[in-house]
Amino acid sequence: MRFGKRFLILALVALSVAASAVTPFVETFDTPEFAEHPWESFIDHRDDADRTSLINGYRMSAARVSVPAYTHRGTGGLGLLDPVPDEAWFRYYLRLDSWNATSSGKLPGFAGLYGSSGRGCIPSTETNPGWSARTLFEATGTEGAGPGDVRLGTYLYHLDQTGGCGDFILWDPGVVEQDRWYCVEGHVRMNAPGKRDGRVDAWIDGQKVLSWPSVGFRRAGENVGVRHFWMNVYFGGTVVNPTDLIASVDNLVVSTSGRPGCLDPFADDNTNSHEADINDLYARSILFGCATNASCPLQEITRAQMAALLERALKLPAGPDAFTDDNGHWAEASINALAASGITKGCDTNSFCPNQTVTRAQMAAFLHRAFDLAAGPDAFADDDGHWAEASINALAASGITKGCSATSFCPDLTIRRDQTATFLRRGLGFPDPLAPKTLRVPDESQRVGVLTEPSFDDSQEPLPVLE
């Protein structure tokens, strides 16, 4: 895996140099030191450096990998686990952006590569053993995924695979949205040599999505283990994709002592009833903390903060200077975007009052305009004749609000950051993070098939010397 010119040079000269141990290891991509990790890369893939960059990640920096249109490879670095374990776990954060894949492909996962098998449609043999269990992505909007969503799975090379190419095992439930960070975890345990008692497991955001027992990775007498973590982003198949594919990876952990688990972005909301909504908006890069590892859930939200949330959530275009009292304010660009879109009219003709707190009535008016909500019937008794009554009724009819009680909305109370997260998530139509997750196509939940790999697959090229 290559990042930047410095590491590009290191990777090219290191192809014949022994890799050092990386078990266990953590890669956060946050400092230049990440280039010192002993990643090896396939021969003659200098494109990796140009196709990998650093961006703002789930926490601090992340690796952004691009598979350019009409190509296959994004990156394919290998981390050598030394000593080689019989069991290992990984965790990384994954975000798919502008991901319109017309076919299947591979994402990072474990492998045991000892020769040419375990990839490139070359199955394991007694003289050429090997296996791999990379994460799999399906074509966008297929295999039970809605339009724009992507079904994930495991692409498995093992002793009992159905053909020369690896089998794919769809995760259940394994559908992810785009432009959102997901915590992806995987586990591989080698079988006792000659038996079929190995296994592969996977989790998304802490929920088990794959439990696949009775796997055979090695025959009796084969010294095969979890040798590699394969940092693979590859559009595999017999066709090329007509558009760029962009995947970002952050906070990678490889462990030999148990599941790494997912990160908790904030420590101060763990008993808060809105925690799931806060974390969901954080994963979508809409809501950020008020300090390191803090979301300040009970803090009242200001009009400037509300503007920033809506501008991020709706990806609003920039607007001209609209008010005189926000010049130089950190949220001025967001405020101008809201004004240009018609979501705000200010607190008076020339002012926005950015540092004033937001009332529940004002929140209703913001969201009514932002989401262009239809009118609704009278929902609450305490807002009759209130200037925001129509907006409040629209929010109730849309399911965005349930009121502060069965018959009241409390329009003039100020609203907190945690409550805002729930209002906003509902308004955006994002799934309830706490709702039970079920497959849209249950009978396809663990279908096993074959992902056809082209003859020019990266994994058919010679491996660097990793001994």
Side-chain angles (χ1 to χ4, degrees):
M1 184 174 60
R2 307 169 192 166
F3 302 88
K5 295 181 179 179
R6 180 186 178 203
F7 189 55
L8 173 61
I9 296 172
L10 288 174
L12 293 178
V13 301
L15 292 174
S16 61
V17 178
S20 56
V22 293
T23 306
F25 71 98
V26 176
E27 180 57 89
T28 64
F29 309 103
D30 292 334
T31 68
E33 283 71 30
F34 76 88
E36 302 294 340
H37 285 299
W39 294 101
E40 296 289 346
S41 195
F42 288 109
I43 288 175
D44 200 30
H45 279 306
R46 295 170 177 84
D47 287 339
D48 281 11
D50 295 331
R51 297 176 183 180
T52 306
S53 59
L54 290 181
I55 62 164
N56 291 331
Y58 184 77
R59 277 191 178 174
M60 298 179 69
S61 298
R64 179 183 185 270
V65 180
S66 174
V67 181
Y70 303 106
T71 68
H72 290 273
R73 183 187 178 90
T75 190
L78 287 174
L80 175 65
L81 280 65
D82 184 14
V84 178
D86 277 349
E87 186 172 26
W89 293 257
F90 70 75
R91 191 279 319 282
Y92 57 81
Y93 277 78
L94 173 70
R95 190 180 73 193
L96 304 178
D97 301 316
S98 304
W99 192 270
N100 188 23
T102 58
S103 185
S104 306
K106 306 107 173 180
L107 295 167
F110 284 127
L113 306 180
Y114 293 83
S116 61
S117 68
R119 62 202 191 280
C121 294
I122 303 175
S124 174
T125 65
E126 292 183 1
T127 57
N128 187 24
W131 65 273
S132 61
R134 286 166 286 177
T135 300
L136 163 80
F137 64 83
E138 281 286 8
T140 303
T142 67
E143 300 294 351
D149 296 344
V150 181
R151 185 75 175 273
L152 301 183
T154 295
Y155 184 41
L156 185 64
Y157 278 81
H158 60 117
L159 297 182
D160 302 311
Q161 63 195 58
T162 57
C165 299
D167 293 336
F168 64 86
I169 307 167
L170 299 181
W171 293 352
D172 177 11
V175 175
V176 299
E177 302 173 53
Q178 297 195 46
D179 302 320
R180 185 193 188 278
W181 287 103
Y182 287 91
C183 173
V184 178
E185 295 178 89
H187 166 239
V188 168
R189 187 185 70 208
M190 292 289 99
N191 59 297
K195 297 184 178 181
R196 295 295 191 271
D197 58 358
R199 66 177 302 115
V200 179
D201 301 280
W203 298 259
I204 296 179
D205 283 348
Q207 180 182 6
K208 193 74 171 284
V209 293
L210 177 66
S211 180
W212 200 258
S214 306
V215 180
F217 295 102
R218 56 189 179 183
R219 302 169 184 84
E222 289 182 350
N223 186 22
V224 169
V226 188
R227 196 182 191 209
H228 302 104
F229 182 79
W230 197 343
M231 188 66 178
N232 206 196
V233 178
Y234 193 86
F235 181 79
T238 57
V239 297
V240 290
N241 208 60
T243 59
D244 292 358
L245 299 174
I246 300 171
S248 298
V249 179
D250 198 3
N251 284 283
L252 167 64
V253 176
V254 172
S255 167
T256 57
S257 59
R259 280 180 61 192
C262 300
L263 298 170
D264 184 358
F266 305 114
D268 62 346
D269 62 358
N270 293 341
T271 60
N272 190 290
S273 61
H274 301 272
E275 180 186 13
D277 298 309
I278 293 169
N279 289 346
D280 185 62
L281 292 192
Y282 179 81
R284 299 175 189 278
S285 302
I286 294 173
L287 184 150
F288 302 113
C290 58
T292 303
N293 205 32
S295 67
C296 300
L298 304 183
Q299 189 180 91
E300 296 174 334
I301 196 165
T302 66
R303 289 170 60 86
Q305 292 167 340
M306 189 69 235
L309 288 174
L310 286 172
E311 186 262 336
R312 293 183 202 124
L314 300 176
K315 298 179 172 62
L316 298 175
D321 189 27
F323 305 106
T324 59
D325 66 340
D326 64 350
N327 293 336
H329 195 283
W330 64 267
E332 181 180 9
S334 297
I335 294 167
N336 290 337
L338 252 66
S341 69
I343 295 174
T344 184
K345 301 175 182 178
C347 59
D348 64 35
T349 304
N350 297 310
S351 302
F352 182 74
C353 305
N355 298 321
Q356 281 187 7
T357 54
V358 177
T359 66
R360 290 170 61 87
Q362 291 168 338
M363 170 68 72
F366 275 127
L367 298 188
H368 186 191
R369 299 184 195 117
F371 302 127
D372 193 22
L373 300 176
D378 189 27
F380 304 107
D382 66 340
D383 65 350
D384 293 343
H386 195 284
W387 67 267
E389 182 180 8
S391 294
I392 294 167
N393 290 336
L395 254 66
S398 69
I400 295 175
T401 185
K402 300 175 183 178
C404 59
S405 73
T407 59
S408 301
F409 182 73
C410 305
D412 297 319
L413 288 181
T414 53
I415 194 163
R416 306 188 312 248
R417 289 169 61 91
D418 58 350
Q419 297 165 335
T420 301
T422 299
F423 272 121
L424 192 53
R425 182 197 58 75
R426 291 177 187 156
L428 291 165
F430 296 144
D432 184 346
L434 299 180
K437 297 178 177 62
T438 57
L439 284 175
R440 300 175 191 175
V441 189
D443 60 332
E444 293 285 342
S445 63
Q446 291 189 329
R447 183 166 65 86
V448 178
V450 174
L451 172 63
T452 303
E453 300 191 48
S455 59
F456 46 86
D457 187 286
D458 64 351
S459 55
Q460 291 188 354
E461 300 190 10
L463 283 172
V465 177
L466 293 174
E467 303 299 339

